Amino acid sequence: MTESQGAHTQPQQHSYAAPVNPEWPPPPPYEPAMATAPAPHHRKRNRGPVALLAAVAIVAAAVGGATAYGFQELTGKDPVASAGTTTHVVPTTKKGDVAAIAAAVSPSVVEIQATLGSGSSTGSGVIISSNGEIVTNNHVVSGAQSIKVRTSDGKSYTAGIVGTDSSKDLALIKLRGASGLKPASLGNSSGVQVGDTVVAIGSPEGLTGTVTSGIVSALNRDVTVSTDENQGQGQGGDGQWPFEFGGREFNGDPGSSTTTYKAIQTDASLNPGNSGGALIDASGNVIGINSAMYSSSRQSSSSSDAGSIGLGFAIPVNTVKSDLAKLRAGDKS
Protein backbone atom coordinates (compact mmCIF):
# COMPACT_ATOMS: atom_id res chain seq x y z
CA MET A 1 0.00 0.00 0.00
CA THR A 2 1.40 3.41 -0.98
CA GLU A 3 1.65 6.40 1.31
CA SER A 4 -1.04 8.15 -0.72
CA GLN A 5 -3.39 5.16 -0.33
CA GLY A 6 -2.82 5.17 3.45
CA ALA A 7 -3.76 8.84 3.61
CA HIS A 8 -6.82 8.15 1.48
CA THR A 9 -8.18 5.46 3.80
CA GLN A 10 -7.26 7.10 7.14
CA PRO A 11 -10.74 8.52 7.93
CA GLN A 12 -12.20 4.97 7.82
CA GLN A 13 -10.09 4.00 10.86
CA HIS A 14 -12.21 6.39 12.97
CA SER A 15 -15.61 5.16 11.81
CA TYR A 16 -18.23 4.73 14.64
CA ALA A 17 -19.13 1.05 14.98
CA ALA A 18 -21.12 1.07 18.29
CA PRO A 19 -24.67 -0.38 18.34
CA VAL A 20 -27.25 2.18 17.32
CA ASN A 21 -30.45 2.89 19.23
CA PRO A 22 -33.09 4.69 17.12
CA GLU A 23 -33.51 7.28 19.90
CA TRP A 24 -29.84 8.19 20.01
CA PRO A 25 -28.50 11.03 17.80
CA PRO A 26 -26.29 9.80 14.91
CA PRO A 27 -22.54 9.81 15.70
CA PRO A 28 -20.33 12.45 14.02
CA PRO A 29 -18.52 11.15 10.89
CA TYR A 30 -15.27 12.52 12.26
CA GLU A 31 -13.58 13.43 15.53
CA PRO A 32 -15.44 16.32 17.28
CA ALA A 33 -13.69 19.60 16.65
CA MET A 34 -13.54 20.43 20.36
CA ALA A 35 -11.03 17.58 20.88
CA THR A 36 -8.37 19.59 19.01
CA ALA A 37 -9.82 23.05 19.52
CA PRO A 38 -7.70 25.93 20.82
CA ALA A 39 -7.56 26.64 24.54
CA PRO A 40 -10.40 29.24 24.65
CA HIS A 41 -12.93 26.51 23.71
CA HIS A 42 -11.99 24.47 26.78
CA ARG A 43 -14.61 26.49 28.68
CA LYS A 44 -17.27 24.35 27.01
CA ARG A 45 -16.03 21.33 28.93
CA ASN A 46 -17.32 22.93 32.15
CA ARG A 47 -20.82 22.09 31.06
CA GLY A 48 -20.20 18.42 31.78
CA PRO A 49 -19.48 18.85 35.53
CA VAL A 50 -22.20 21.51 35.87
CA ALA A 51 -24.75 19.21 34.29
CA LEU A 52 -23.53 16.38 36.49
CA LEU A 53 -23.89 18.51 39.63
CA ALA A 54 -27.40 19.51 38.59
CA ALA A 55 -28.29 15.87 38.06
CA VAL A 56 -26.86 14.98 41.46
CA ALA A 57 -28.91 17.76 43.08
CA ILE A 58 -32.08 16.45 41.44
CA VAL A 59 -31.34 12.91 42.57
CA ALA A 60 -30.62 14.12 46.12
CA ALA A 61 -33.95 15.95 46.22
CA ALA A 62 -35.71 12.84 44.99
CA VAL A 63 -33.99 10.71 47.61
CA GLY A 64 -34.93 13.20 50.34
CA GLY A 65 -38.58 13.05 49.32
CA ALA A 66 -38.45 9.28 49.15
CA THR A 67 -36.89 9.12 52.60
CA ALA A 68 -39.65 11.20 54.15
CA TYR A 69 -42.27 9.12 52.36
CA GLY A 70 -40.53 5.92 53.42
CA PHE A 71 -40.48 7.08 57.04
CA GLN A 72 -44.19 7.72 56.92
CA GLU A 73 -44.90 4.34 55.32
CA LEU A 74 -42.76 2.45 57.84
CA THR A 75 -43.97 4.19 60.97
CA GLY A 76 -47.53 4.91 59.94
CA LYS A 77 -47.02 8.45 61.23
CA ASP A 78 -46.74 11.76 59.52
CA PRO A 79 -43.69 13.79 60.45
CA VAL A 80 -44.86 17.03 62.05
CA ALA A 81 -45.31 19.76 59.51
CA SER A 82 -42.53 22.09 60.49
CA ALA A 83 -41.12 25.14 58.82
CA GLY A 84 -38.77 28.04 59.33
CA THR A 85 -39.63 31.68 58.91
CA THR A 86 -38.83 31.53 55.19
CA THR A 87 -41.58 29.00 54.42
CA HIS A 88 -44.56 30.52 52.66
CA VAL A 89 -47.82 28.67 53.21
CA VAL A 90 -49.48 31.43 51.22
CA PRO A 91 -47.96 32.75 47.96
CA THR A 92 -45.33 35.43 48.47
CA THR A 93 -47.58 37.87 46.63
CA LYS A 94 -50.25 37.24 49.29
CA LYS A 95 -47.97 37.60 52.33
CA GLY A 96 -49.87 39.39 55.07
CA ASP A 97 -53.20 38.99 53.26
CA VAL A 98 -55.59 37.93 56.01
CA ALA A 99 -58.06 36.34 53.59
CA ALA A 100 -55.30 34.22 51.99
CA ILE A 101 -53.91 33.19 55.38
CA ALA A 102 -57.38 32.27 56.65
CA ALA A 103 -58.11 30.18 53.55
CA ALA A 104 -54.80 28.33 53.84
CA VAL A 105 -54.74 27.66 57.59
CA SER A 106 -58.40 27.36 58.66
CA PRO A 107 -58.57 23.67 57.59
CA SER A 108 -55.79 23.00 60.16
CA VAL A 109 -57.69 24.49 63.13
CA VAL A 110 -60.46 22.61 64.96
CA GLU A 111 -63.09 23.16 67.64
CA ILE A 112 -62.81 21.04 70.78
CA GLN A 113 -65.71 20.18 73.10
CA ALA A 114 -64.66 18.45 76.30
CA THR A 115 -67.18 16.92 78.69
CA LEU A 116 -66.01 17.37 82.27
CA GLY A 117 -67.18 15.96 85.56
CA SER A 118 -69.23 19.08 86.21
CA GLY A 119 -69.95 20.81 82.93
CA SER A 120 -68.10 21.23 79.66
CA SER A 121 -65.20 23.12 78.12
CA THR A 122 -64.97 24.67 74.66
CA GLY A 123 -61.65 25.41 73.03
CA SER A 124 -59.65 25.08 69.86
CA GLY A 125 -56.76 22.97 68.56
CA VAL A 126 -54.18 22.84 65.78
CA ILE A 127 -53.76 19.78 63.55
CA ILE A 128 -50.11 18.73 63.32
CA SER A 129 -50.41 15.45 61.38
CA SER A 130 -52.76 14.12 58.72
CA ASN A 131 -53.83 11.19 60.90
CA GLY A 132 -55.32 13.43 63.57
CA GLU A 133 -52.71 14.58 66.10
CA ILE A 134 -53.86 17.89 67.57
CA VAL A 135 -52.09 20.31 69.88
CA THR A 136 -54.21 22.32 72.29
CA ASN A 137 -54.03 23.83 75.77
CA ASN A 138 -53.96 21.50 78.74
CA HIS A 139 -56.68 23.55 80.41
CA VAL A 140 -59.06 22.89 77.50
CA VAL A 141 -59.06 19.10 77.98
CA SER A 142 -57.85 18.69 81.56
CA GLY A 143 -60.20 16.39 83.48
CA ALA A 144 -62.19 15.54 80.36
CA GLN A 145 -64.33 12.41 80.44
CA SER A 146 -64.91 12.59 76.69
CA ILE A 147 -63.71 14.81 73.85
CA LYS A 148 -65.43 15.69 70.58
CA VAL A 149 -63.67 17.56 67.78
CA ARG A 150 -65.16 19.31 64.78
CA THR A 151 -63.03 20.18 61.76
CA SER A 152 -63.50 23.19 59.49
CA ASP A 153 -65.45 21.11 56.96
CA GLY A 154 -68.04 20.19 59.60
CA LYS A 155 -66.92 16.60 60.24
CA SER A 156 -67.04 15.38 63.84
CA TYR A 157 -64.66 12.99 65.57
CA THR A 158 -64.11 11.60 69.03
CA ALA A 159 -60.63 12.00 70.49
CA GLY A 160 -58.46 10.73 73.30
CA ILE A 161 -55.72 12.42 75.28
CA VAL A 162 -52.23 11.25 74.30
CA GLY A 163 -50.13 13.37 76.65
CA THR A 164 -50.31 16.52 78.74
CA ASP A 165 -47.85 19.00 80.21
CA SER A 166 -49.52 21.29 82.72
CA SER A 167 -46.26 23.16 83.33
CA LYS A 168 -46.48 24.49 79.77
CA ASP A 169 -50.29 24.36 79.51
CA LEU A 170 -50.01 22.01 76.51
CA ALA A 171 -51.80 18.82 75.54
CA LEU A 172 -51.73 16.43 72.60
CA ILE A 173 -54.94 14.66 71.61
CA LYS A 174 -55.56 12.17 68.79
CA LEU A 175 -58.69 11.81 66.67
CA ARG A 176 -60.13 8.33 66.21
CA GLY A 177 -60.49 7.12 62.63
CA ALA A 178 -59.11 10.28 61.03
CA SER A 179 -56.97 10.44 57.90
CA GLY A 180 -56.15 12.90 55.14
CA LEU A 181 -56.33 15.95 57.41
CA LYS A 182 -54.34 19.08 56.61
CA PRO A 183 -51.55 19.69 59.15
CA ALA A 184 -50.49 23.22 59.95
CA SER A 185 -46.99 24.45 59.20
CA LEU A 186 -45.17 25.10 62.46
CA GLY A 187 -42.94 28.14 62.13
CA ASN A 188 -40.07 29.53 64.19
CA SER A 189 -41.12 31.73 67.09
CA SER A 190 -37.55 32.89 67.73
CA GLY A 191 -37.82 35.02 64.59
CA VAL A 192 -40.95 36.86 65.75
CA GLN A 193 -40.62 40.61 66.27
CA VAL A 194 -42.79 43.21 67.94
CA GLY A 195 -45.00 44.78 65.29
CA ASP A 196 -45.25 41.65 63.12
CA THR A 197 -48.65 41.04 61.57
CA VAL A 198 -50.46 38.03 63.05
CA VAL A 199 -53.74 36.22 62.48
CA ALA A 200 -55.62 34.23 65.12
CA ILE A 201 -57.99 31.38 64.25
CA GLY A 202 -60.16 29.56 66.76
CA SER A 203 -63.67 28.93 68.04
CA PRO A 204 -64.56 31.75 70.45
CA GLU A 205 -67.89 31.07 72.15
CA GLY A 206 -68.24 27.99 69.92
CA LEU A 207 -68.15 30.03 66.69
CA THR A 208 -65.95 27.65 64.71
CA GLY A 209 -63.32 29.07 62.35
CA THR A 210 -63.43 32.64 63.60
CA VAL A 211 -60.56 34.75 62.20
CA THR A 212 -59.12 37.90 63.75
CA SER A 213 -55.93 39.84 63.03
CA GLY A 214 -53.54 42.23 64.71
CA ILE A 215 -49.88 42.54 65.58
CA VAL A 216 -47.38 41.13 68.04
CA SER A 217 -47.53 43.76 70.78
CA ALA A 218 -44.82 42.36 73.09
CA LEU A 219 -42.54 39.35 73.58
CA ASN A 220 -41.37 37.23 76.52
CA ARG A 221 -44.23 38.17 78.81
CA ASP A 222 -44.26 36.20 82.06
CA VAL A 223 -47.73 34.66 82.18
CA THR A 224 -48.73 32.58 85.19
CA VAL A 225 -51.51 29.99 84.82
CA SER A 226 -53.03 27.33 87.03
CA THR A 227 -51.93 23.70 86.85
CA ASP A 228 -54.98 22.51 88.80
CA GLU A 229 -57.37 20.69 86.47
CA ASN A 230 -60.36 21.76 88.56
CA GLN A 231 -59.50 25.47 88.50
CA GLY A 232 -60.87 26.20 85.04
CA GLN A 233 -64.19 24.50 85.64
CA GLY A 234 -65.19 27.23 88.07
CA GLN A 235 -64.90 29.81 85.29
CA GLY A 236 -67.85 28.50 83.32
CA GLY A 237 -65.96 25.83 81.41
CA ASP A 238 -65.77 27.83 78.20
CA GLY A 239 -62.09 27.57 77.47
CA GLN A 240 -61.21 30.76 79.32
CA TRP A 241 -58.51 30.40 81.95
CA PRO A 242 -57.57 32.46 85.01
CA PHE A 243 -54.03 33.81 84.79
CA GLU A 244 -51.68 36.33 86.34
CA PHE A 245 -49.69 38.99 84.56
CA GLY A 246 -47.78 41.96 85.92
CA GLY A 247 -48.88 41.23 89.48
CA ARG A 248 -52.58 41.24 88.60
CA GLU A 249 -55.12 38.45 88.28
CA PHE A 250 -57.29 38.10 85.18
CA ASN A 251 -60.45 36.02 84.79
CA GLY A 252 -60.28 34.80 88.37
CA ASP A 253 -57.79 33.45 90.89
CA PRO A 254 -55.34 30.90 89.38
CA GLY A 255 -55.03 29.27 92.79
CA SER A 256 -51.94 28.10 94.60
CA SER A 257 -50.75 25.54 92.03
CA THR A 258 -49.38 27.57 89.13
CA THR A 259 -46.72 27.64 86.44
CA THR A 260 -45.15 30.55 84.56
CA TYR A 261 -44.04 30.64 80.91
CA LYS A 262 -42.77 33.21 78.44
CA ALA A 263 -45.56 34.24 76.08
CA ILE A 264 -46.10 36.18 72.87
CA GLN A 265 -48.47 39.08 73.51
CA THR A 266 -50.88 40.08 70.75
CA ASP A 267 -53.67 42.58 70.24
CA ALA A 268 -55.47 40.23 67.83
CA SER A 269 -58.94 39.75 69.32
CA LEU A 270 -59.08 36.59 71.47
CA ASN A 271 -62.16 35.49 73.37
CA PRO A 272 -63.25 32.47 75.43
CA GLY A 273 -62.93 29.42 73.18
CA ASN A 274 -59.83 30.72 71.34
CA SER A 275 -57.67 28.77 73.81
CA GLY A 276 -55.60 26.17 71.97
CA GLY A 277 -56.08 27.84 68.59
CA ALA A 278 -53.42 29.13 66.21
CA LEU A 279 -51.52 32.39 66.17
CA ILE A 280 -50.16 32.69 62.63
CA ASP A 281 -47.53 34.86 60.96
CA ALA A 282 -47.83 36.77 57.69
CA SER A 283 -46.55 33.78 55.67
CA GLY A 284 -49.11 31.36 57.11
CA ASN A 285 -46.90 29.56 59.66
CA VAL A 286 -48.15 28.88 63.19
CA ILE A 287 -45.95 30.80 65.62
CA GLY A 288 -47.95 30.26 68.79
CA ILE A 289 -50.81 28.45 70.53
CA ASN A 290 -53.28 30.97 71.97
CA SER A 291 -53.59 30.31 75.68
CA ALA A 292 -54.72 33.25 77.80
CA MET A 293 -56.85 36.28 77.16
CA TYR A 294 -58.47 38.94 79.27
CA SER A 295 -62.16 39.54 78.83
CA SER A 296 -63.72 42.29 80.94
CA SER A 297 -67.13 40.68 80.53
CA ARG A 298 -66.12 38.65 83.60
CA GLN A 299 -65.66 41.83 85.58
CA SER A 300 -68.58 43.94 84.45
CA SER A 301 -72.18 43.45 83.39
CA SER A 302 -71.99 46.39 81.00
CA SER A 303 -72.26 45.24 77.39
CA SER A 304 -69.91 48.02 76.33
CA ASP A 305 -67.15 46.36 78.36
CA ALA A 306 -67.74 42.81 77.10
CA GLY A 307 -65.35 40.93 74.84
CA SER A 308 -61.68 41.21 74.03
CA ILE A 309 -59.72 44.31 74.97
CA GLY A 310 -56.66 43.41 72.90
CA LEU A 311 -54.72 41.64 75.63
CA GLY A 312 -53.97 38.08 74.59
CA PHE A 313 -51.09 35.66 75.02
CA ALA A 314 -49.79 32.68 73.07
CA ILE A 315 -47.35 29.89 73.90
CA PRO A 316 -44.42 30.19 71.43
CA VAL A 317 -44.43 27.39 68.86
CA ASN A 318 -40.79 26.53 69.60
CA THR A 319 -41.93 25.55 73.10
CA VAL A 320 -44.56 23.32 71.50
CA LYS A 321 -42.04 21.64 69.19
CA SER A 322 -39.59 21.00 72.01
CA ASP A 323 -42.37 19.37 74.06
CA LEU A 324 -43.81 17.13 71.33
CA ALA A 325 -41.65 14.08 72.01
CA LYS A 326 -42.76 14.09 75.64
CA LEU A 327 -46.41 14.52 74.70
CA ARG A 328 -46.24 11.77 72.08
CA ALA A 329 -44.63 9.43 74.61
CA GLY A 330 -47.83 9.68 76.64
CA ASP A 331 -46.49 11.67 79.57
CA LYS A 332 -49.26 13.20 81.64
CA SER A 333 -48.01 15.80 84.06
Side-chain angles (χ1 to χ4, degrees), residues 1-330:
M1 181 181 295
T2 65
E3 181 176 350
S4 61
Q5 288 174 327
H8 178 72
T9 59
Q10 185 175 357
Q12 296 179 1
Q13 296 175 3
H14 297 280
S15 62
Y16 192 87
V20 177
N21 185 310
E23 297 180 358
W24 296 347
Y30 49 83
E31 291 287 346
M34 65 178 292
T36 58
H41 291 277
H42 289 177
R43 296 170 57 188
K44 295 183 179 180
R45 294 183 181 180
N46 290 337
R47 295 180 181 177
V50 171
L52 177 60
L53 289 173
V56 170
I58 293 172
V59 171
V63 170
T67 301
Y69 175 79
F71 173 82
Q72 179 177 341
E73 289 298 303
L74 289 172
T75 63
K77 276 188 176 183
D78 284 343
V80 174
S82 181
T85 54
T86 57
T87 298
H88 294 277
V89 177
V90 297
T92 54
T93 56
K94 294 289 186 177
K95 183 176 181 180
D97 186 315
V98 176
I101 294 169
V105 187
S106 288
S108 303
V109 181
V110 302
E111 177 187 327
I112 298 174
Q113 294 277 353
T115 301
L116 310 173
S118 58
S120 63
S121 173
T122 300
S124 306
V126 177
I127 299 170
I128 62 168
S129 69
S130 63
N131 60 357
E133 288 181 313
I134 293 173
V135 169
T136 185
N137 288 142
N138 177 61
H139 74 258
V140 172
V141 297
S142 181
Q145 297 177 344
S146 64
I147 301 172
K148 291 185 178 180
V149 174
R150 183 168 60 173
T151 53
S152 65
D153 58 4
K155 293 182 179 179
S156 295
Y157 299 87
T158 59
I161 297 176
V162 177
T164 60
D165 187 346
S166 60
S167 67
K168 296 182 176 66
D169 195 16
L170 290 173
L172 181 68
I173 65 174
K174 178 78 180 327
L175 304 186
R176 299 185 177 100
S179 63
L181 302 181
K182 182 179 180 180
S185 172
L186 304 186
N188 181 3
S189 52
S190 66
V192 175
Q193 297 181 0
V194 173
D196 283 352
T197 298
V198 289
V199 173
I201 303 179
S203 299
E205 307 292 353
L207 300 174
T208 305
T210 296
V211 177
T212 58
S213 63
I215 63 168
V216 172
S217 51
L219 295 171
N220 299 317
R221 293 298 201 194
D222 287 323
V223 174
T224 300
V225 299
S226 174
T227 57
D228 183 358
E229 70 178 35
N230 296 314
Q231 185 67 34
Q233 298 178 25
Q235 297 300 314
D238 56 7
Q240 195 167 9
W241 194 238
F243 68 98
E244 295 177 1
F245 168 69
R248 297 178 58 196
E249 294 178 356
F250 297 89
N251 308 331
D253 178 8
S256 59
S257 179
T258 61
T259 185
T260 301
Y261 59 83
K262 299 288 185 180
I264 298 171
Q265 181 179 311
T266 179
D267 70 349
S269 179
L270 301 178
N271 289 288
N274 270 116
S275 290
L279 188 67
I280 308 153
D281 68 12
S283 296
N285 300 299
V286 176
I287 57 169
I289 300 297
N290 299 320
S291 58
M293 67 291 299
Y294 172 65
S295 175
S296 60
S297 62
R298 293 292 178 188
Q299 311 296 329
S300 170
S301 59
S302 172
S303 60
S304 62
D305 292 333
S308 170
I309 63 169
L311 184 64
F313 302 93
I315 301 167
V317 75
N318 286 5
T319 300
V320 178
K321 291 191 288 187
S322 67
D323 209 33
L324 269 180
K326 175 183 176 181
L327 294 174
R328 280 175 162 162

